[in-house]
């Protein structure tokens, strides 16, 4: 049991990011004070949404400069905090040549850096770590080895490497390291949030999160007319933020928590969007044959091995622990993708038709 003083400031690492921005917003709206750690608090663009939140909640959001790869750089931001939400970690799935540098080192060394900071700063009582369902499973084919093709918090990704599925690998080694550091002390406990793919409206236009790219591929014509049979856990960004806050302040919270509202395929997402927005946009409406996707995979920035091991396998995630123990209630997948797409229309990311 860990009780957090609601008046103590809360550190959010990577505060400017897609998920973290919603966490910061909800913390401020609930009356908490937030220490937001960002790489460059002085930068001219990319922090507008945090400055706007700060204006709405005077004196309750303070930005600190910190980098995952600079040892000790989170310590100052952590001073006085009982609760630390560690979200910062790169979520990129293409556009890099060295996966160790782009993903694994910042995820692993960064987690070590933040958690060792918690060992030094005596106010810290709990860390909420943003992990992922990709620390639970690697490829969808792994689902053939679990009951009902359904993953739970008991499972760990044992198939990803720095060469094959480097992002899942980065999240797996980072979460494992976090539990190892946690087990060597008893002052602070740790709760992890393991979201499926996160979609839904963004508070920032500057996030590099792969969530944005995946949504653009889905609605921008890359999967038109046919999408691969790729099943995934999916959850709304606003619900992921709520899960972090519940994990922080629920004294009995313990262990890992899958956060997922459902397990749709890309085609099902296309159908939900078509139902709401009609036929004028390039949403997928049929299933692409696996052999065809396998053939063209490199053109879409995917490996053929990825297609072989992921397309066509039923893959589900059991999020009942988060509902039972954190009281999570999830938005429907329809609401999530439709709100996200509506924002893309409003922002001109996708051209309005008709
Ligand atoms: P995001 O918008 O790209 O946020 C990532 C954050 O990490 C950014 O604020 C970024 O800071 C920070 N960061 C990256 N490298 C850093 C470094 N070297 N030092 C300090 N900060 C660094 O992505 P997101 O989708 O919100 O992801 C947030 C977390 O959720 C990650 O841990 C990700 O693995 C996890 N997650 C995401 C999803 C999803 O579908 N989006 C699903 C499951 C788990 P800058 O602004 O300075 O670049």
């Amino acid at each position: 049991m860990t009780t957090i003083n609601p008046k103590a400031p809360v550190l959010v690492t990577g505060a400017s990011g897609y998920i973290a921005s919603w966490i910061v917003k909800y913390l401020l709206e609930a009356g908490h004070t937030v220490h937001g750690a960002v790489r460059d608090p002085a930068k001219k663009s990319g922090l507008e949404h945090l400055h706007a939140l700060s204006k709405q909640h005077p004196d309750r959001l303070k930005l600190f400069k910190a980098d995952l790869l600079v040892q000790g750089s989170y310590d100052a931001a952590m001073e006085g905090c009982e609760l630390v939400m560690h979200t910062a970690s790169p979520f990129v799935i293409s556009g890099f040549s060295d996966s160790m540098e782009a993903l694994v080192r910042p995820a692993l060394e960064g987690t070590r850096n933040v958690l060792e900071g918690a060992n030094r700063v005596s106010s810290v009582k709990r860390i909420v770590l943003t992990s992922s369902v990709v620390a639970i499973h690697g490829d969808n084919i792994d689902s053939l080895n679990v009951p009902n093709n359904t993953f739970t918090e008991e499972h760990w990704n044992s198939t990803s490497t720095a060469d094959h599925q480097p992002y899942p690998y980065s999240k797996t080694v980072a979460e494992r390291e976090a539990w190892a550091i946690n087990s060597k002390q008893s002052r602070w406990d740790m709760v992890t949030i393991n979201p499926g793919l996160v979609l839904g409206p963004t508070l920032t236009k500057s996030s590099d999160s792969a969530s944005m790219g995946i949504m653009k591929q889905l609605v921008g014509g890359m999967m038109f007319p046919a999408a691969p049979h790729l099943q995934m856990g999916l959850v709304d960004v606003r619900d992921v933020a709520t899960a972090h806050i519940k994990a922080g302040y629920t004294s009995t919270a313990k262990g890992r928590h899958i956060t997922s509202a459902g397990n749709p395929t890309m085609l099902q997402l296309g159908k939900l969007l078509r139902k709401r927005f009609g036929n004028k946009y390039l949403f997928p409406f049929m299933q692409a044959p696996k052999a065809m996707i396998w053939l063209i995979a490199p053109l879409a920035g995917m490996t053929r091995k990825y297609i072989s091991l992921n397309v066509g396998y039923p893959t589900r995630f059991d999020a009942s622990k988060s509902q039972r123990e954190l009281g999570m209630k999830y938005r429907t997948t329809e609401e999530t993708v439709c709100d996200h797409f509506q924002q893309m229309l409003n922002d001109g990311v996708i051209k309005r038709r008709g």
Side-chain angles (χ1 to χ4, degrees):
M1 294 265 284
T2 299
T3 306
I4 301 295
N5 174 4
K7 291 201 161 43
V10 183
L11 169 61
V12 180
T13 72
S16 55
Y18 173 46
I19 295 173
S21 306
W22 281 102
I23 298 176
V24 171
K25 177 178 161 69
Y26 287 165
L27 283 169
L28 292 171
E29 285 173 359
H32 304 290
T33 295
V34 178
H35 288 183
V38 295
R39 268 189 275 194
D40 181 7
K43 72 179 178 185
K44 292 276 178 288
S45 75
L47 298 178
E48 296 84 348
H49 59 302
L50 294 184
H51 295 318
L53 284 171
S54 178
K55 221 169 170 181
Q56 285 162 30
H57 305 278
D59 303 324
R60 285 202 286 114
L61 173 59
K62 189 170 175 198
L63 297 187
F64 291 79
K65 183 178 173 66
D67 193 302
L68 291 170
L69 297 174
V70 177
Q71 297 312 310
S73 72
Y74 289 88
D75 294 17
M78 219 176 269
E79 269 321 318
C81 297
E82 296 189 2
L83 184 57
V84 172
M85 310 256 188
H86 177 38
T87 81
S89 199
F91 178 28
V92 286
I93 47 183
S94 59
F96 51 84
S97 52
D98 184 343
S99 62
M100 287 302 289
E101 282 304 308
L103 285 162
V104 182
R105 207 160 78 82
L108 179 59
E109 288 182 23
T111 297
R112 218 177 263 149
N113 191 9
V114 172
L115 272 53
E116 283 171 356
N119 282 343
R120 289 186 290 270
V121 179
S122 63
S123 56
V124 178
K125 291 185 176 171
R126 171 168 289 178
I127 292 184
V128 178
L129 176 80
T130 316
S131 187
S132 171
V133 292
V134 300
I136 285 175
H137 93 308
D139 294 302
N140 284 3
I141 197 172
D142 301 347
S143 68
L144 301 181
N145 300 323
V146 297
N148 303 319
N149 313 115
T150 302
F151 292 98
T152 70
E153 287 85 357
E154 297 295 310
H155 298 116
W156 277 92
N157 176 349
S158 60
T159 56
S160 298
T161 65
D163 294 324
H164 172 67
Q165 297 274 50
Y167 170 68
Y169 179 68
S170 76
K171 295 304 285 182
T172 306
V173 292
E175 192 193 325
R176 279 206 183 276
E177 178 73 354
W179 285 116
I181 297 172
N182 168 256
S183 71
K184 293 193 184 108
Q185 56 77 57
S186 56
R187 173 168 43 77
W188 51 269
D189 67 4
M190 189 170 83
V191 182
T192 72
I193 296 298
N194 298 67
L197 175 67
V198 180
L199 294 179
T202 177
L203 297 172
T204 167
K205 291 180 184 160
S206 304
S207 164
D208 291 328
S209 173
S211 289
M212 307 301 147
I214 292 169
M215 186 67 183
K216 258 190 228 156
Q217 288 187 352
L218 173 70
V219 302
M222 248 187 99
M223 295 186 198
F224 181 81
H229 184 278
L230 200 52
Q231 196 171 10
M232 71 212 117
L234 189 135
V235 61
D236 193 287
V237 66
R238 296 161 289 191
D239 293 337
V240 174
T242 300
H244 279 75
I245 295 168
K246 286 179 182 280
Y249 290 101
T250 303
S251 57
T252 50
K254 206 173 177 325
R256 312 173 90 192
H257 299 82
I258 290 174
T259 53
S260 174
N263 307 281
T265 62
M266 287 291 177
L267 180 56
Q268 283 165 341
L269 298 182
K271 286 186 173 167
L272 290 172
L273 287 160
R274 189 169 293 276
K275 191 172 101 187
R276 176 80 67 89
F277 295 95
N279 288 325
K280 45 190 192 289
Y281 296 100
L282 299 177
F283 307 132
F285 62 82
M286 56 196 267
Q287 194 165 296
K290 185 169 178 177
M292 186 192 89
I293 299 285
W294 183 87
L295 210 60
I296 62 166
L299 298 175
M302 289 179 285
T303 64
R304 290 191 170 131
K305 182 175 177 186
Y306 173 82
I307 301 299
S308 297
L309 300 180
N310 287 279
V311 171
Y313 296 102
T315 302
R316 292 183 281 274
F317 296 91
D318 177 357
S320 59
K321 181 183 174 196
S322 69
Q323 292 165 315
R324 216 172 39 245
E325 297 187 12
L326 299 182
M328 282 303 298
K329 290 186 175 65
Y330 292 104
R331 283 171 174 80
T332 63
T333 300
E334 180 173 357
E335 183 179 348
T336 300
V337 283
C338 291
D339 285 1
H340 197 147
F341 185 67
Q342 185 62 57
Q343 185 186 46
M344 292 170 97
L345 290 178
N346 295 348
D347 291 350
V349 176
I350 298 288
K351 213 164 160 256
R352 223 177 269 276
R353 291 170 183 236

